[in-house]
Amino acid sequence: MDILSIVGIILAFAAVLGGNFIEGGHFSALFNLPAGLIVIGGTLGAAILHTSWPSVARACKIVLWVFSPPRQDVHETSNKILHWSMTARKEGLLGLEIIVDAENEYFAQKGLRLLVDGTEPDAIRRAMEVDLYLIESRDLKAARFFECMGGYAPTIGIIGAVMGLIHVMRNLADPSQLGAGIATAFVATIYGVGLANLLFLPIASKLKGVVQQQYQYNEMIVEGVIAIAEGENPRSIEMKLQGYLEHS
Amino acid sequence: MDILSIVGIILAFAAVLGGNFIEGGHFSALFNLPAGLIVIGGTLGAAILHTSWPSVARACKIVLWVFSPPRQDVHETSNKILHWSMTARKEGLLGLEIIVDAENEYFAQKGLRLLVDGTEPDAIRRAMEVDLYLIESRDLKAARFFECMGGYAPTIGIIGAVMGLIHVMRNLADPSQLGAGIATAFVATIYGVGLANLLFLPIASKLKGVVQQQYQYNEMIVEGVIAIAEGENPRSIEMKLQGYLEHS
Amino acid sequence: MDILSIVGIILAFAAVLGGNFIEGGHFSALFNLPAGLIVIGGTLGAAILHTSWPSVARACKIVLWVFSPPRQDVHETSNKILHWSMTARKEGLLGLEIIVDAENEYFAQKGLRLLVDGTEPDAIRRAMEVDLYLIESRDLKAARFFECMGGYAPTIGIIGAVMGLIHVMRNLADPSQLGAGIATAFVATIYGVGLANLLFLPIASKLKGVVQQQYQYNEMIVEGVIAIAEGENPRSIEMKLQGYLEHS
Amino acid sequence: MDILSIVGIILAFAAVLGGNFIEGGHFSALFNLPAGLIVIGGTLGAAILHTSWPSVARACKIVLWVFSPPRQDVHETSNKILHWSMTARKEGLLGLEIIVDAENEYFAQKGLRLLVDGTEPDAIRRAMEVDLYLIESRDLKAARFFECMGGYAPTIGIIGAVMGLIHVMRNLADPSQLGAGIATAFVATIYGVGLANLLFLPIASKLKGVVQQQYQYNEMIVEGVIAIAEGENPRSIEMKLQGYLEHS
Amino acid sequence: MDILSIVGIILAFAAVLGGNFIEGGHFSALFNLPAGLIVIGGTLGAAILHTSWPSVARACKIVLWVFSPPRQDVHETSNKILHWSMTARKEGLLGLEIIVDAENEYFAQKGLRLLVDGTEPDAIRRAMEVDLYLIESRDLKAARFFECMGGYAPTIGIIGAVMGLIHVMRNLADPSQLGAGIATAFVATIYGVGLANLLFLPIASKLKGVVQQQYQYNEMIVEGVIAIAEGENPRSIEMKLQGYLEHS
C-alpha cells in the first residue's frame, strides 16, 4: 500500500478546493458537465489514437500500482535464492525440481526451470535478459500513456475554454451574462491543467518509478539464478545480492 | 484494421463538439472558411518547406497505416522461416529456388535470393541491415512530417487569431460587433490547437509505433535468413524466433 | 531547383494573407514599418551576437540551397568512380593523373590527388574523414543560424507588441483610438511568429536536410576512393556504391 | 556555510518586494492565505504523488545543504590518504587497523576496513563504486524533488488564478469590486511563478552541484584506497590525488 | 576584438528602441526604476542561488570574451610547436629547457616542462587531458550562468508585471489612470524578455563558442607536445597540426 500516493492526491485536491472555498468560491462554479466531457473525452481520444492497443490495455491494469505497488520482499527473495543455491550444492540442480511448481513468481519459476533443464549459464542470461527488457519496456510504454494524457489535457482544456469564449462573445454588451459565460469557459482550463498536473503527470512518474524498482527486483533473481548455474558458492552469491538489499 | 485509431478520433471529436453543443454552442460558430484556409494552408506550406520531397510523398502514403497497418503475421512468418530452414537442410540452399518467386514480401524474397545465390552470412547481414536501416529511417522521416505539422499548426492558429483581432479592433467601441469579431478570430486558435492535438501529433506517434513494429518484423526475417545461411539446425532457429513471437 | 520549397513558401503566405483578405482584413493593416524594424532588426541583432562570424557568413551563402540545392548526380558520380577504378586497374594509380585536373568537385579532386600520390588507404581515410566532418559541422552551424533566428523572432515580436501596448495605454479611455493602437501593436506579434514559423524554422530544417544529403554524397566518393586505394576489384566497388544509389 | 545561497535568496526577495514597494504596491496586497494554500498545498501534493517515499524523506534532509553543504576538506583528506599509504608501506595493511574505528567518514571507514580485510583491489573497486553510484543517484533523485515542485508550482498557480477569476466574474459589471477580485486572483500566479523561480528551481540546481561535488570527493577517497591496495608508492598516489586538489 | 558582438548588441537595441520611437513611443515610458530593480535583482538573486560560487566568479571574468576573445594565433602557435620539435630533434628534449620560462601560455609552458622532465608520452597525455577537460568544464559552467539568467529573467519579468497589475486593479473604474498603470506594469515584461533575448541568451551562446574554440586551440598544443615526446619527425607533426589550421 503506497500511503504517500493517497496523501499526495488528497493533499493536492484538498488544498486546491479548500483554498477556493476559503476565498469564497462555490464548488458548483467548478462543476461543469460539458467542460468535463470535452476535456476527458478529448484527452482520452487523443491518447488512444496516440498509443498502440497493448499499451492502453496494460496502462489500465498497472494504474493500480500507484496505490498498491506489487509486493516485493527483497530480503525474503534473497534468502530464497540462497536456499536454492544450497539445495543445488547438496542435491545437484535436479534437487530444485520439486520447488519449481511451488514457486509462483514468473521470473523465479522460469529461472528454476532453466536451472533444472541444465541450461548453460550464458543461455540463461540471454533468455532472461530479453524477458527483463521486454517486460520493462512494455510497462514503461504503459506508464507513458498517462504522460501523454498529461500532455494533451491542458491543450484540450484550452480548446474547451476558447470554444466557451466564442459562445460567450455574443453577450459582450451585457456584462452580467458575459461574466457567467466566461466563468463557465474557464472551467475547461482548470479541468485540463488540473487533471494533467494533479493526476496524469504525477501518476506517470510514480508508475515509472515502480517499473524501475520491479526491474531491479527481477534483475536480482536473474543474477542469483545465473550465479547458481555457474556453480558459485552460497557465500559469494550472498555478497552479490547484498547490493540489491542495501538500496531496496 | 486498427479499431483503436478510429475510436480515438471519433471519441475526441465527438467529446469536443458534443461538449460544445451541450453548452449551447452552435456548430456554425465553429465553422469559418478563412480561418481554415489560414491554418491548413499555412501549416501545410510551412511543413512542405520544412521537409524534403521524398518524405512528403512517403507521408501521404503511410498515413493510411493509422487505420490499416501493414498486415504482419509473426506466427505464420516464423513458421515459414522454419519451413525454409528444413528445406535447406534436406535439399540444400538451392532447394529454396522454387520458393523465391512465390514469395511476395520484400525482405523475405531478398533474403531467399541471397541464400540461393550462396552469399556468405556476413555479406547477407550487411546487405540486409542496410536495407532495414534505410527503410526505417525513411518511414520515420515521413512520420515526422505529421509531427512537424503538429508543431506549426498552433502557432499559425495564433497568427490567424491575431490577424482576426487586428481586423476587429476597428469596432472596439461597438461591443456587439466586437464580440462577433473576436469569436471569429478565436476559431483560428481552435483549428490550430485542435488539429495539432486531436490529429497531427497522435497520428505521428501512432505511425512511429507502426514503423518500429515493422522494423522488428523484418528484423525477424533477416535473423532467420542469416541463421539458415549459417547452417543452424531448425530447432535452434525456432528458439531464436521465439523472442519475436512473445512480444508480437 | 527545389520546387517544393517555393511551393511551400507561396502556399503558406498565400493561405495566411488570402484567409485574412477573405475575412475582410486589409493588407495595409498588416503593413507596419516600425514593427518590421523592431522584429527584423532585433532578431538579426540577437542572432548575430549569438553566432560566431564564420557561421553568419556561411549562413548567408547556403541560404540559397533552400531553392537550388547543390547539384549531385549520384548515378553519374557512381559511374565516374567505377571508371576510375577500372583505369587504376589497367594503368595503375598513376593512370589517374590526367583526370585530376579535369575534376572540379572538391572531394573527387582531393581523393584523386591522394590516390596519385600513392597515399596509404588508412591515411586517405583519416585525411578525408576529417574533411567530411569539418564541412558538415561548419554547414550545420550555419543552418542553426536560422534556427536561432526562429527562436528569437517570436519573443522579440512580443517585445514589440508590449511596447506598442504601453504606447496605446494612454488612450485607454477612448475605444476608437485604443483599437487602432492595439491593432498596430499586434502586428509585431504576427511578424515575429510568422517569420519564425513560415520562414526561419522551416528553412533551418530544409538546410539541415541538404547538408546531410551532401554528407552522404561526399561519403560515397570517399568510400569509392578508399576502395580503389585498397585495390578492390570494380565489381566489388560497384556493390559498395549500390547502397548510396538506392536511397539517393 | 554557503554565503552565496543566502545572498541569492535575500537579493531576489528584496529586489522583487522592494521594487513592488517603490512602485507604490502594498505588501498586504501580496498576502493571500487561500492563494498560498492552493499553490503550496497543490504543489506539495502533486510532488508527493510524483515521487517515491525515500526520495521525499531524503529531500527534506539534504535541503539544508543549500546553506551549509557537507564539510569536505579535500587537502586534509588527501593528506590523510597519503598518511594511510605510508602507514601501509611501513607496517603492512594490518597497520591500518587502529585507524579504522577513529575514522568517521562513511567512505573512508569502509575503504579502510576493506583494506585491513585484505580484499583484492578489484573487489574493493566494485564494492565501493556501487556505493558511490547508489549514493549519488539517491541524492540526485532527492534534488529532483525540488525540480519537480518547480515544475508544478507555476501551473498550479494558474489553476488558483483561474479559479479566482471564475469567482470574480460574477461582478463583471462592477469595476471596483472586479478589480479587487482580479488582484486577489493574480496573487496565486505570483506565488506559483515566484516560488518556482526564486526558490524551487535554483535550490534543485544548487543541490545537484553539491551532490556532484560530494561524488568527486568520495571518488578521490575510493581512488586512494584502491591505489593503496595495489601497493602503489606514496609519491605516485600523491600525483593521482593532485587532479582532485586542483579543481576542489 | 569581436566586432560582430558589438554590431549585434547595437543593432538589436537600436532596432527595438528606434522602432518604438518611430511608432511614436517615448523613451521615458520604457524607463522604470522599480521594474528594473525587480527584474535585474530578482534574476541575479535566482541565478546566484542556482550557481556555485566559483562559476559566478568565473562568469564575471569571462564575460569580457564576448567583445575581446582571448587572442589565439593558430598559425603562429603551430609554427612554434614545429620549432620546438626541431629543437628537440637537434639538441634533445633538454634543449627545450631555455624556452620553458620564456613561454607564457599555460598549456605551452606546462607541456614544455613535462617534456624537459622527460615524462612518458602517456603520462603527458593523461596529465594534460585532465587539464583540458577541467578548464573546458569550468568555463562552460561559467557560460551557463548567463544561460540560467536568460531562463529566469522572463519569468521574473512576469512576476513584476503581475505585481504591477495587482497594484493597478484598484483603479479599474478609472480608465485614464488604469492605462498608465498597466503601461508601467508591462515595462517589467519588456525588461525580462528583452534582457534574456537581446543579452543573456546570445551572450551565453557566444561564450560557449569561445570556450570550444579555446579547447581546440589548447588541444592542438597538447597533441603537438605529445608528438614531440613520442619522437615523431617534424614533417609528420606538421601534417597533424594541419587539421587545426584548416578550421581555425
Side-chain angles (χ1 to χ4, degrees):
Chain A
M1 199 63 177
D2 188 339
I3 302 292
L4 207 66
S5 293
I6 298 169
V7 170
I9 289 184
I10 292 175
L11 174 56
F13 280 92
V16 168
L17 295 177
N20 184 43
F21 181 73
I22 298 175
E23 242 178 347
H26 298 277
F27 287 155
S28 63
L30 294 182
F31 188 79
N32 188 285
L33 196 73
L37 184 63
I38 290 172
V39 172
I40 294 175
T43 301
L44 214 60
I48 282 176
L49 175 57
H50 182 110
T51 314
S52 72
W53 170 241
S55 298
V56 176
R58 185 78 191 152
C60 297
K61 224 168 164 181
I62 68 172
V63 69
L64 293 172
W65 288 356
V66 173
F67 303 109
S68 68
R71 207 180 136 276
Q72 296 168 333
D73 193 328
V74 188
H75 285 271
E76 195 190 292
T77 304
S78 156
N79 287 334
K80 204 164 67 180
I81 295 171
L82 282 180
H83 179 70
W84 299 346
S85 85
M86 281 181 286
T87 309
R89 282 241 134 179
K90 273 186 269 165
E91 314 172 23
L93 289 170
L94 283 175
L96 296 168
E97 198 152 24
I98 40 166
I99 326 182
V100 175
D101 295 321
E103 190 50 58
N104 49 18
E105 274 188 290
Y106 176 74
F107 271 95
Q109 202 188 38
K110 178 157 187 180
L112 284 171
R113 184 149 295 144
L114 286 164
L115 280 177
V116 170
D117 287 357
T119 321
E120 291 291 301
D122 268 13
I124 296 183
R125 179 177 294 280
R126 248 171 319 167
M128 294 190 80
E129 279 185 348
V130 165
D131 251 22
L132 270 180
Y133 168 76
L134 288 182
I135 286 176
E136 193 201 16
S137 81
R138 178 197 63 184
D139 288 350
L140 283 181
K141 272 183 198 162
R144 241 171 265 137
F145 179 69
F146 295 97
E147 206 173 78
C148 113
M149 288 216 292
Y152 287 124
T155 52
I156 290 169
I158 286 171
I159 294 178
V162 176
M163 287 197 319
L165 290 177
I166 289 175
H167 177 48
V168 138
M169 282 299 149
R170 295 164 181 265
N171 307 314
L172 204 58
D174 176 357
S176 69
Q177 275 205 30
L178 180 64
I182 293 179
T184 310
F186 279 176
V187 172
T189 307
I190 290 185
Y191 284 6
V193 178
L195 283 174
N197 287 283
L198 302 184
L199 280 184
F200 297 149
L201 293 177
I203 280 177
S205 162
K206 174 76 75 172
L207 284 178
K208 278 184 187 174
V210 174
V211 170
Q212 275 163 15
Q213 221 174 318
Q214 265 191 300
Y215 180 87
Q216 266 179 358
Y217 174 76
N218 291 329
E219 202 187 23
M220 182 183 77
I221 299 178
V222 171
E223 288 302 326
V225 165
I226 291 168
I228 295 175
E230 282 171 338
E232 281 191 36
N233 66 58
R235 169 89 184 103
S236 146
I237 292 177
E238 196 173 5
M239 267 184 64
K240 262 201 183 156
L241 301 181
Q242 206 70 20
Y244 292 98
L245 289 173
E246 272 175 21
H247 67 123
S248 69
Chain B
M1 200 62 178
D2 188 337
I3 302 293
L4 207 65
S5 294
I6 299 170
V7 170
I9 290 185
I10 292 176
L11 173 56
F13 280 93
V16 169
L17 295 177
N20 184 43
F21 181 73
I22 297 173
E23 240 177 349
H26 297 278
F27 287 156
S28 63
L30 294 181
F31 188 79
N32 187 285
L33 195 72
L37 183 62
I38 290 171
V39 172
I40 295 175
T43 301
L44 213 61
I48 282 177
L49 175 57
H50 182 111
T51 315
S52 72
W53 169 240
S55 297
V56 176
R58 184 79 191 153
C60 297
K61 226 166 160 182
I62 68 172
V63 69
L64 293 173
W65 289 356
V66 174
F67 303 108
S68 67
R71 207 180 136 275
Q72 297 168 332
D73 192 328
V74 188
H75 284 271
E76 194 189 294
T77 304
S78 155
N79 286 334
K80 203 164 68 179
I81 295 171
L82 283 179
H83 179 70
W84 298 347
S85 85
M86 283 181 284
T87 308
R89 280 241 135 180
K90 272 185 270 164
E91 314 170 25
L93 289 170
L94 284 175
L96 296 168
E97 197 153 24
I98 39 165
I99 326 182
V100 177
D101 296 320
E103 190 50 58
N104 49 19
E105 273 188 291
Y106 176 75
F107 271 95
Q109 201 187 38
K110 178 157 186 178
L112 284 172
R113 185 149 294 144
L114 285 164
L115 281 177
V116 170
D117 287 357
T119 322
E120 291 290 301
D122 267 13
I124 295 183
R125 179 178 292 281
R126 247 172 319 166
M128 294 191 81
E129 278 185 348
V130 165
D131 251 22
L132 270 180
Y133 168 75
L134 289 182
I135 286 176
E136 193 201 15
S137 81
R138 179 197 62 185
D139 287 351
L140 283 181
K141 272 183 197 162
R144 241 171 265 137
F145 179 68
F146 295 98
E147 207 172 77
C148 112
M149 289 216 292
Y152 287 124
T155 52
I156 290 169
I158 287 171
I159 294 178
V162 177
M163 288 197 319
L165 290 177
I166 288 174
H167 178 48
V168 138
M169 284 298 149
R170 295 165 180 266
N171 307 315
L172 205 57
D174 176 357
S176 69
Q177 275 205 31
L178 181 64
I182 293 179
T184 310
F186 279 176
V187 173
T189 308
I190 291 186
Y191 284 4
V193 179
L195 283 174
N197 288 283
L198 302 184
L199 280 185
F200 297 149
L201 293 176
I203 281 177
S205 162
K206 174 76 75 171
L207 285 178
K208 278 184 186 172
V210 174
V211 170
Q212 274 164 15
Q213 220 174 318
Q214 263 192 302
Y215 180 87
Q216 265 178 358
Y217 175 76
N218 291 328
E219 202 186 24
M220 182 183 78
I221 298 178
V222 170
E223 288 303 326
V225 165
I226 292 168
I228 295 175
E230 282 172 339
E232 281 190 35
N233 66 58
R235 170 88 184 103
S236 146
I237 293 178
E238 196 172 5
M239 267 185 62
K240 263 199 183 157
L241 301 182
Q242 207 70 20
Y244 293 97
L245 288 174
E246 272 175 20
H247 66 124
S248 69
Chain C
M1 200 65 178
D2 188 337
I3 301 293
L4 207 65
S5 294
I6 299 170
V7 170
I9 290 185
I10 291 176
L11 173 57
F13 280 93
V16 169
L17 296 177
N20 184 43
F21 181 72
I22 297 174
E23 240 177 347
H26 297 278
F27 286 155
S28 62
L30 294 181
F31 188 79
N32 188 285
L33 196 72
L37 183 64
I38 290 171
V39 173
I40 295 176
T43 301
L44 213 60
I48 282 176
L49 176 57
H50 182 110
T51 315
S52 73
W53 169 239
S55 296
V56 176
R58 184 79 192 152
C60 297
K61 225 166 161 183
I62 68 171
V63 69
L64 293 173
W65 289 356
V66 173
F67 303 109
S68 67
R71 207 181 136 273
Q72 296 169 331
D73 192 328
V74 188
H75 285 271
E76 196 190 293
T77 304
S78 155
N79 286 333
K80 205 163 68 180
I81 295 171
L82 282 180
H83 179 70
W84 298 346
S85 85
M86 283 183 282
T87 308
R89 281 241 135 181
K90 274 185 269 163
E91 314 171 24
L93 288 171
L94 284 175
L96 296 168
E97 196 152 27
I98 40 167
I99 326 182
V100 177
D101 295 320
E103 191 50 59
N104 49 19
E105 274 188 291
Y106 176 75
F107 270 95
Q109 204 188 37
K110 178 157 186 178
L112 284 171
R113 184 149 293 144
L114 286 164
L115 281 178
V116 170
D117 287 357
T119 322
E120 290 291 301
D122 267 13
I124 296 183
R125 179 177 293 281
R126 248 171 319 167
M128 294 190 81
E129 277 184 350
V130 166
D131 251 23
L132 269 180
Y133 168 75
L134 288 182
I135 287 177
E136 193 200 15
S137 81
R138 179 197 61 186
D139 287 351
L140 282 181
K141 272 183 197 163
R144 242 172 264 137
F145 179 69
F146 295 97
E147 207 172 78
C148 112
M149 290 217 290
Y152 287 124
T155 53
I156 290 169
I158 287 170
I159 294 178
V162 176
M163 287 197 319
L165 290 177
I166 289 175
H167 178 47
V168 138
M169 283 298 149
R170 294 162 182 268
N171 307 313
L172 204 57
D174 176 355
S176 69
Q177 274 205 32
L178 181 64
I182 293 179
T184 310
F186 279 175
V187 172
T189 307
I190 292 185
Y191 284 5
V193 179
L195 282 174
N197 288 284
L198 303 183
L199 280 185
F200 297 149
L201 294 177
I203 281 177
S205 162
K206 175 76 77 169
L207 284 178
K208 278 184 186 172
V210 174
V211 170
Q212 274 164 15
Q213 220 174 321
Q214 264 191 302
Y215 180 86
Q216 265 178 358
Y217 174 76
N218 291 328
E219 202 186 25
M220 181 183 79
I221 299 178
V222 170
E223 287 303 326
V225 165
I226 291 168
I228 295 175
E230 282 172 339
E232 282 191 34
N233 65 58
R235 171 89 185 100
S236 146
I237 293 178
E238 196 173 4
M239 268 185 62
K240 262 199 183 158
L241 302 181
Q242 209 69 21
Y244 293 97
L245 288 173
E246 272 174 20
H247 67 122
S248 69
Chain D
M1 200 65 179
D2 189 338
I3 303 292
L4 208 66
S5 293
I6 299 169
V7 169
I9 289 185
I10 292 176
L11 174 56
F13 280 92
V16 169
L17 295 178
N20 184 43
F21 181 72
I22 297 175
E23 242 178 347
H26 297 278
F27 287 155
S28 64
L30 294 182
F31 188 79
N32 188 285
L33 197 72
L37 184 62
I38 290 171
V39 172
I40 294 175
T43 301
L44 214 60
I48 281 177
L49 176 56
H50 181 111
T51 314
S52 72
W53 169 240
S55 297
V56 177
R58 184 79 191 150
C60 297
K61 225 168 164 182
I62 69 171
V63 68
L64 293 173
W65 289 356
V66 174
F67 304 110
S68 68
R71 206 180 137 276
Q72 296 167 332
D73 193 327
V74 189
H75 285 271
E76 196 189 291
T77 304
S78 155
N79 286 333
K80 205 164 68 180
I81 295 171
L82 282 180
H83 179 70
W84 298 346
S85 86
M86 282 181 286
T87 309
R89 280 241 135 180
K90 273 185 270 166
E91 313 171 24
L93 289 170
L94 284 174
L96 296 167
E97 197 152 25
I98 40 166
I99 325 183
V100 175
D101 295 321
E103 190 50 58
N104 50 18
E105 275 188 290
Y106 176 75
F107 271 94
Q109 203 188 38
K110 176 156 189 182
L112 283 171
R113 184 149 293 145
L114 286 164
L115 280 178
V116 170
D117 288 357
T119 322
E120 290 291 301
D122 267 14
I124 297 183
R125 179 178 293 281
R126 247 170 322 165
M128 295 190 78
E129 278 186 347
V130 165
D131 251 22
L132 269 180
Y133 168 76
L134 289 181
I135 287 177
E136 193 201 15
S137 81
R138 178 197 61 185
D139 288 351
L140 282 181
K141 271 183 198 160
R144 241 171 265 138
F145 179 69
F146 295 98
E147 208 173 78
C148 113
M149 289 217 290
Y152 287 124
T155 52
I156 291 168
I158 286 171
I159 294 178
V162 176
M163 286 196 321
L165 289 176
I166 288 174
H167 178 47
V168 138
M169 284 298 149
R170 294 162 182 267
N171 307 314
L172 205 57
D174 176 356
S176 69
Q177 276 205 29
L178 180 64
I182 293 179
T184 310
F186 280 176
V187 172
T189 307
I190 291 185
Y191 284 4
V193 179
L195 282 174
N197 287 283
L198 302 184
L199 280 185
F200 297 149
L201 294 177
I203 280 177
S205 162
K206 174 76 78 172
L207 284 177
K208 278 184 187 173
V210 174
V211 170
Q212 274 163 15
Q213 221 175 317
Q214 265 191 300
Y215 180 86
Q216 265 178 358
Y217 175 76
N218 291 329
E219 202 187 24
M220 182 184 76
I221 298 177
V222 170
E223 288 303 326
V225 165
I226 291 168
I228 295 174
E230 282 171 341
E232 282 191 35
N233 65 60
R235 170 87 185 103
S236 146
I237 293 178
E238 196 173 4
M239 267 186 64
K240 263 201 182 153
L241 301 181
Q242 206 71 20
Y244 293 97
L245 289 173
E246 273 174 20
H247 66 123
S248 70
Chain E
M1 200 62 179
D2 188 337
I3 302 292
L4 207 66
S5 293
I6 300 170
V7 169
I9 290 184
I10 292 177
L11 173 56
F13 280 92
V16 168
L17 295 178
N20 185 42
F21 181 73
I22 296 175
E23 241 177 346
H26 298 278
F27 287 155
S28 62
L30 295 182
F31 188 80
N32 188 285
L33 196 73
L37 183 63
I38 290 171
V39 173
I40 295 176
T43 301
L44 213 60
I48 282 176
L49 175 56
H50 181 111
T51 315
S52 72
W53 169 241
S55 297
V56 177
R58 184 79 192 151
C60 296
K61 225 167 162 183
I62 69 172
V63 68
L64 293 173
W65 289 356
V66 173
F67 303 109
S68 67
R71 207 181 136 272
Q72 297 168 332
D73 193 328
V74 188
H75 285 271
E76 196 190 291
T77 303
S78 155
N79 286 333
K80 205 164 67 181
I81 295 171
L82 283 179
H83 180 70
W84 297 347
S85 85
M86 282 182 284
T87 309
R89 281 239 135 181
K90 274 186 269 164
E91 313 171 24
L93 289 170
L94 284 174
L96 296 168
E97 197 153 25
I98 41 166
I99 326 183
V100 175
D101 295 321
E103 191 49 58
N104 49 18
E105 275 188 290
Y106 176 74
F107 271 95
Q109 203 188 37
K110 178 157 187 180
L112 284 171
R113 184 150 292 144
L114 286 164
L115 281 177
V116 170
D117 287 357
T119 322
E120 291 291 301
D122 266 14
I124 296 183
R125 178 178 294 281
R126 248 172 318 165
M128 295 190 80
E129 277 184 349
V130 165
D131 251 23
L132 268 180
Y133 168 75
L134 289 181
I135 287 177
E136 193 201 15
S137 81
R138 179 196 61 185
D139 287 351
L140 282 181
K141 271 182 198 162
R144 242 172 264 138
F145 179 69
F146 295 97
E147 207 171 79
C148 112
M149 289 216 290
Y152 288 123
T155 52
I156 290 169
I158 286 170
I159 295 178
V162 176
M163 286 197 320
L165 290 176
I166 289 174
H167 178 47
V168 136
M169 284 298 150
R170 294 163 182 267
N171 307 314
L172 205 58
D174 176 355
S176 70
Q177 274 204 32
L178 180 65
I182 293 178
T184 311
F186 280 176
V187 172
T189 308
I190 291 185
Y191 284 6
V193 179
L195 282 174
N197 288 283
L198 303 183
L199 280 184
F200 296 150
L201 294 176
I203 281 177
S205 161
K206 174 77 76 169
L207 283 178
K208 278 185 187 172
V210 174
V211 170
Q212 274 163 15
Q213 222 174 319
Q214 265 192 299
Y215 180 86
Q216 265 178 358
Y217 174 77
N218 290 329
E219 202 186 25
M220 182 184 77
I221 298 177
V222 171
E223 288 303 326
V225 165
I226 291 168
I228 295 174
E230 283 171 339
E232 282 191 34
N233 65 59
R235 171 88 185 101
S236 146
I237 293 178
E238 196 173 3
M239 267 185 63
K240 262 199 183 157
L241 302 181
Q242 208 70 21
Y244 293 97
L245 288 173
E246 272 175 20
H247 67 122
S248 70

